[in-house]
Structures are given as structure tokens and as C-alpha cells.
Amino acid sequence: MEGKISPIFRLFDSHFEDAKTAFLALGKQYKGKKAIELEQKLIFIEIYIELVSKIHFEEKKLKFEIFEPFKEMFKGLKKTKHLKFVLQELDQIKSKKNLTFNTYEKFLLEEKKEHYNKMYDLIVSTPLKKWEKLYSDVHQHSIGLKPLMVNTATTQIINEELEFFNIDNQLKPDNKALKDIYEGLRVVTALENIRIDSGFNPIFIREVHVKMNTLQQTLLSWYQNQLLTQHLIYFFGDKEEISKKYKDLLADLKQNKKKLTATVQSQCKYLFDRILN
């Protein structure tokens, strides 16, 4: 496709440069905060590639081919975030209840150390040419994109996400559905920002975006609770006996999850009844 580079490419360019800077920093020392920063930038890059792929729909495997070299890194960065979430959730509980969970915390920190070492090795063994090829491929596919193409593609992807929301809204969403809603809202928000940057009106009014943000924050709390609950059960897996303190911890987590799930379901119903009808 001939023509000038699309103005929306500057958004990709900005996120790409930030991602590459974070990547280079992690090659010196692997830190959780910088890893999460890189993961967030890769999330946007993946959404942008999905947008470009929607426009170049004739290239069936475009999205997967461009992002595939970063899949392993992306997965590892996500685990880094999950471990950080689990540790944060545990710290809040320790502070609130004035308790210690030394055995579990030691187990967590050992897993964190092992994972960080593995990710550091992955980062330093990743050649810069992978980043160069990603940039080149996206740049090439951002040439000649017309505003109408961007408008149509963003609308299509948002509508696809809404279809998933509608399915999940029919019944009380389960764990997988809530996780999908959390990630789907992230896609919608990113595409709305791309629309605004392209000079188009957002699809949803400000009030809806405020409700989306509120739901995302509640879902984040639910997600952190879910991650700690799952990890704690995994920790119990090879234990012959579990102390009362840990049984109480798990019981409290499950009780809190019920409350968070009820809140999320209520917020989902309120929001989706307005944007899906």
C-alpha cells in the first residue's frame, strides 16, 4: 500500500521507544517495576498490531507473525507482574492483620528469584534485531492508512469486544469471564485513545469511561485476590499438614473474593446494560 505514514503511527513509535528503553534497562538488572512497565508497553503494541491486522485483513496471519517473537518474553513479564501482585496482596494482609507468613513468603521469594534469573537470561539473549524487525514490519503496515480505515477498524474491534461482554453478561460471569472482561476493557480503552488521537470522537461518552475505569479498578482488586488464592492453594499442594493460620488466610481470601465478585458482577450489569442495549 503506497502513501504517507499514518499519523497514528506516532503513538506506536512512542510506546515502542519506551518499551525498548525498558528492555535495555532490564538487560542491566531485572527489576519488577521496569518489567511491568515493559509489559504495559507491549500490551499497547499488541493492540496496535491487532488494529493494523484488522485493516490488512487479507494478510490472515499478520498479527501472529509480527508479535510471535515476543510471546515468550510477554508471558514471562506477565508472570513477573503476577508475582508482584501476590506479594503486594500478602503484604496488605500482613499489615492489616498484624500477622506473618514466613514459610509461604520464603517460598514466594525463592520462586521470584528463580523467575527473575530466568527472565534476565531471556532478556540478555534477545537480539536487538527482533525489535528492529518489529518496528520495520509495523512501520511498513502503517503506510497509507486512511482515517476512515482507522475509524472502521477501531469500531469493529470494539464491537467484537462488546459481543464478548454481552455473552458474559447473560449469566453470572465465572473466573475466566471476569479475567476476559478485565483484558477486554483494556483493549477498548486503548482503542478509544487511538480514536481520539486520530481526531475521531470516542464511541462512548465520558460517563461510560468513568464507569469502565471504576470497574477496571474493582476487577484489579478481584484479580489480585484471585492470584493470591490460586498461588496459596498451589503452595499447599505438597503439604501434609496445614496450620490454622494458613487455613484462616485461605478462608478470608475466599470470603473476600465472594464480596469482590458480587461487586464486580453488579458493576458489570450496570455498565453493560447501558452500553450493550
Side-chain angles (χ1 to χ4, degrees), residues 15-255:
H15 282 79
F16 177 87
E17 288 302 321
D18 288 343
K20 192 174 176 182
T21 298
F23 168 79
L24 293 172
L26 290 170
K28 297 176 182 177
Q29 184 177 6
Y30 194 84
K31 292 185 176 181
K33 184 177 180 180
K34 190 61 67 174
I36 292 173
E37 181 182 327
L38 175 55
E39 190 234 10
Q40 294 301 307
K41 296 303 176 181
L42 285 176
I43 286 172
F44 179 87
I45 288 172
E46 187 177 30
I47 293 171
Y48 184 92
I49 292 172
E50 183 177 357
L51 171 62
V52 171
S53 299
K54 182 68 70 174
I55 295 172
H56 294 275
F57 59 88
E58 71 283 356
E59 298 183 49
K60 302 296 184 182
K61 298 181 179 179
L62 181 61
K63 175 185 175 181
F64 304 101
E65 289 173 349
I66 293 179
F67 200 72
E68 181 62 32
F70 290 84
K71 279 293 186 181
E72 184 181 0
M73 183 191 302
F74 188 53
K75 183 179 179 180
L77 293 168
K78 189 173 185 178
K79 181 175 180 180
T80 301
K81 180 177 70 177
H82 286 178
L83 286 170
K84 194 172 182 67
F85 280 173
V86 168
L87 284 163
Q88 287 176 343
E89 189 80 355
L90 185 64
D91 282 343
Q92 289 179 7
I93 292 171
K94 284 166 53 182
S95 177
K96 182 179 179 180
K97 295 183 175 294
N98 194 27
L99 291 172
T100 58
F101 302 94
N102 295 333
T103 305
Y104 178 53
E105 193 163 10
K106 180 182 178 183
F107 176 81
L108 260 173
L109 293 174
E110 287 175 352
E111 182 179 347
K112 174 185 172 182
K113 181 179 179 180
E114 181 181 350
H115 176 67
Y116 276 34
N117 288 337
K118 180 180 176 181
M119 285 302 298
Y120 176 76
D121 290 342
L122 177 62
I123 294 290
V124 297
S125 65
T126 300
L128 284 176
K129 66 181 180 181
K130 280 191 177 182
W131 288 93
E132 293 165 3
K133 188 175 189 313
L134 172 68
Y135 189 90
S136 175
D137 287 344
V138 175
H139 181 275
Q140 180 62 33
H141 285 88
S142 297
I143 294 173
L145 301 187
K146 306 298 183 185
L148 181 60
M149 295 175 180
V150 175
N151 180 33
T152 301
T154 52
T155 302
Q156 285 178 340
I157 298 173
I158 289 175
N159 283 337
E160 288 169 4
E161 293 296 335
L162 294 183
E163 288 180 17
F164 288 123
F165 293 163
N166 194 31
I167 292 171
D168 291 334
N169 198 43
Q170 298 301 314
L171 301 169
K172 287 187 176 181
D174 57 14
N175 290 343
K176 182 182 183 305
L178 291 178
K179 178 175 173 290
D180 290 344
I181 290 171
Y182 175 72
E183 294 178 351
L185 288 172
R186 190 168 59 192
V187 172
V188 171
T189 301
L191 291 171
E192 286 280 67
N193 289 334
I194 289 175
R195 288 179 62 82
I196 293 169
D197 198 76
S198 302
F200 295 109
N201 291 325
I203 291 177
F204 302 113
I205 61 174
R206 183 179 180 279
E207 180 187 358
V208 170
H209 278 281
V210 170
K211 295 296 183 183
M212 283 185 183
N213 183 62
T214 300
L215 176 56
Q216 281 181 299
Q217 293 305 311
T218 308
L219 278 167
L220 179 58
S221 296
W222 175 90
Y223 195 30
Q224 288 186 260
N225 173 282
Q226 171 73 358
L227 287 169
L228 178 54
T229 302
Q230 288 179 328
H231 198 276
L232 192 60
I233 292 172
Y234 167 69
F235 169 69
F236 291 162
D238 60 351
K239 301 289 184 296
E240 293 184 2
E241 293 186 10
I242 302 171
S243 68
K244 184 179 182 301
K245 179 170 66 172
Y246 282 103
K247 288 180 179 178
D248 290 344
L249 172 59
L250 183 59
D252 287 346
L253 285 169
K254 289 182 175 180
Q255 184 63 34

